[in-house]
Amino acid sequence: MVREVLSKSSEIPLRSVSLSADDLLTIIESKHFEKVTARNDGMVFDSFEDMKKNKALLAGQPNVDCGDISISFDSYLRRVWIYKFTNESFGLAKSIAAEITQRKTIFDRAKDKQKYFMIPLFLIMVSSSLGPLAVKTDDQNYLKYLKNISDYSIIPTVLFITLYTIFYYMHYIRKTVYYRPTEGFLRRNLEKIIVAVVCTALGIGIKALFDRL
């Protein structure tokens, strides 16, 4: 038997995630819960069968109750919550959270860790952009030095703005649970296309920077 020592926490955070309704239903069905209900945008699903028959109505930020476990996809509180804390319920909750986590995209994982690189990028961007404005001197060599520092702010600035836009879209615009009956080429490869665009933009910025040095 595989067991984990119970902690005082009764919830498992999911953080940034976007999951298809089909994947959500597959995960829940694999756990063989006796009773499953859900709520979303004023709609109530009284059974798992209701959810399977109305996948499109699950799109958004639903809350799913599975016996002693609740799965919340709210924008500010994405988590697996345990009502009755037992070994069995804790194991199921951990399993559900792990399966949802496995479906995270590279951008979800980056957003989960965003403070570790967004804050340094912001500080570099601000310090290198505003540094020259804080110095008043006619020394041409020093002014040239400050200009070079300012030039180096181009890359972190472009990267910061790009990532901020992506993270804003992920948090406020995209649906936490989505439903698409069919997916075209663009939708299936959207993540790869975004990565390619970001890398291309950075490549152009780096080249432009070195051309000016």
Side-chain angles (χ1 to χ4, degrees):
M1 177 184 292
V2 177
R3 299 176 57 204
E4 181 168 343
V5 178
L6 299 182
S7 64
K8 294 181 180 180
S9 175
S10 57
E11 66 178 58
I12 304 169
L14 297 174
R15 306 185 72 179
S16 179
V17 66
S18 184
L19 189 70
S20 73
D22 286 313
D23 282 345
L24 175 60
L25 293 173
T26 297
I27 293 171
I28 294 173
E29 189 171 27
S30 69
K31 308 307 174 187
H32 305 291
F33 291 105
E34 292 184 4
K35 177 70 173 178
V36 178
T37 61
R39 306 177 307 280
N40 184 45
D41 196 23
M43 304 296 296
V44 177
F45 304 81
D46 291 326
S47 68
F48 184 73
E49 289 301 317
D50 287 340
M51 296 167 64
K52 290 177 68 175
K53 292 177 182 177
N54 301 278
K55 297 177 185 178
L57 297 179
L58 279 174
Q61 300 171 351
N63 285 279
V64 184
D65 293 320
C66 310
D68 296 328
I69 297 171
S70 178
I71 310 170
S72 173
F73 291 100
D74 185 85
S75 291
Y76 296 97
L77 199 61
R78 295 166 183 160
R79 63 179 183 174
V80 180
W81 174 264
I82 307 167
Y83 290 120
K84 187 177 180 181
F85 211 81
T86 65
N87 276 313
E88 182 180 3
S89 63
F90 183 70
L92 283 171
K94 290 284 286 186
S95 178
I96 291 171
E99 292 201 41
I100 292 175
T101 300
Q102 287 297 319
R103 290 166 170 80
K104 286 181 179 240
T105 68
I106 186 175
F107 292 109
D108 286 314
R109 297 181 187 279
K111 191 175 186 305
D112 288 343
K113 305 291 185 181
Q114 62 176 316
K115 66 179 181 180
Y116 296 110
F117 51 89
M118 290 296 282
I119 293 176
L121 278 175
F122 178 77
L123 293 177
I124 293 172
M125 177 184 68
V126 172
S127 61
S128 57
S129 298
L130 300 183
L133 300 180
V135 178
K136 295 182 179 180
T137 178
D138 294 328
D139 189 304
Q140 295 301 313
N141 290 329
Y142 190 62
L143 290 176
K144 183 178 179 180
Y145 168 74
L146 291 177
K147 180 179 179 301
N148 288 336
I149 294 178
S150 180
D151 287 341
Y152 281 112
S153 72
I154 295 174
I155 296 174
T157 299
V158 171
L159 185 57
F160 179 88
I161 294 174
T162 301
L163 291 176
Y164 181 84
T165 302
I166 293 173
F167 292 156
Y168 182 90
Y169 161 78
M170 291 171 64
H171 189 82
Y172 293 102
I173 300 177
R174 75 169 182 172
K175 294 180 178 179
T176 311
V177 174
Y178 62 88
Y179 175 66
R180 305 186 191 110
T182 58
E183 288 190 317
F185 173 83
L186 179 62
R187 183 65 70 176
R188 288 197 309 271
N189 297 278
L190 182 60
E191 184 177 326
K192 294 179 181 178
I193 293 172
I194 293 176
V195 171
V197 170
V198 171
C199 291
T200 300
L202 287 176
I204 293 173
I206 293 172
K207 183 179 183 303
L209 173 61
F210 279 102
D211 287 344
R212 295 180 62 179
L213 297 179

